[in-house]
Amino acid sequence: MSENQNIESCPYCSGKHKERDEEEYKNLMNRLKRIEGQVRGLEGMLENKAYCTDILMQVCAVTSALNSFNKVLLANHMKTCVAEGIRKGDDSVIDEFVLTLQKLMK
């Protein structure tokens, strides 16, 4: 199965796609790889019977990294997808953006 088939069949995806420039792609991937490493670190801490507060502090770091990832992705989305839709007269991007913000702020 190709990568595009995985995206298209993803039950969590909208079915829309976005071409990212190389810099944005690398930035986001690097952030995700660091987060992945932090999560693996949590697994190791648990396996090594680390103290509760030490694990909680690491969870805080992962949460902060995910929030930072979201902020960067959201800013990129506003500057590209939303702005482009508005320039084309597609006001539905505003409704979609508001709905996304509402979901993020739960």
Side-chain angles (χ1 to χ4, degrees), residues 6-73:
N6 286 336
I7 292 171
E8 290 170 7
S9 64
C10 174
Y12 308 107
C13 296
S14 69
K16 296 180 181 181
H17 298 87
K18 178 187 181 196
E19 293 295 324
R20 290 179 172 80
D21 65 40
E22 189 173 336
E23 183 180 340
E24 177 185 0
Y25 177 79
K26 282 183 179 181
N27 179 303
L28 292 171
M29 285 301 288
N30 286 337
R31 287 173 182 273
L32 285 177
K33 295 295 181 186
R34 281 193 298 271
I35 292 165
E36 181 181 30
Q38 288 176 304
V39 171
R40 278 196 309 272
L42 280 168
E43 289 179 49
M45 291 175 80
L46 195 58
E47 289 168 353
N48 292 317
K49 300 178 171 96
Y51 190 58
C52 300
T53 57
D54 295 335
I55 295 173
L56 289 167
M57 290 301 101
Q58 185 61 25
V59 169
C60 242
V62 172
T63 301
S64 178
L66 282 168
N67 285 337
S68 181
F69 176 87
N70 262 356
K71 288 176 191 175
V72 169
L73 187 59

Side-chain angles (χ1 to χ4, degrees), residues 53-99:
T53 57
D54 295 335
I55 295 173
L56 289 167
M57 290 301 101
Q58 185 61 25
V59 169
C60 242
V62 172
T63 301
S64 178
L66 282 168
N67 285 337
S68 181
F69 176 87
N70 262 356
K71 288 176 191 175
V72 169
L73 187 59
L74 187 61
N76 288 341
H77 179 61
M78 287 174 60
K79 292 175 184 176
T80 57
C81 303
V82 175
E84 184 179 309
I86 291 170
R87 280 188 213 107
K88 290 180 177 178
D90 180 7
D91 288 342
S92 71
V93 296
I94 297 169
D95 295 331
E96 179 188 61
F97 185 67
V98 169
L99 183 62

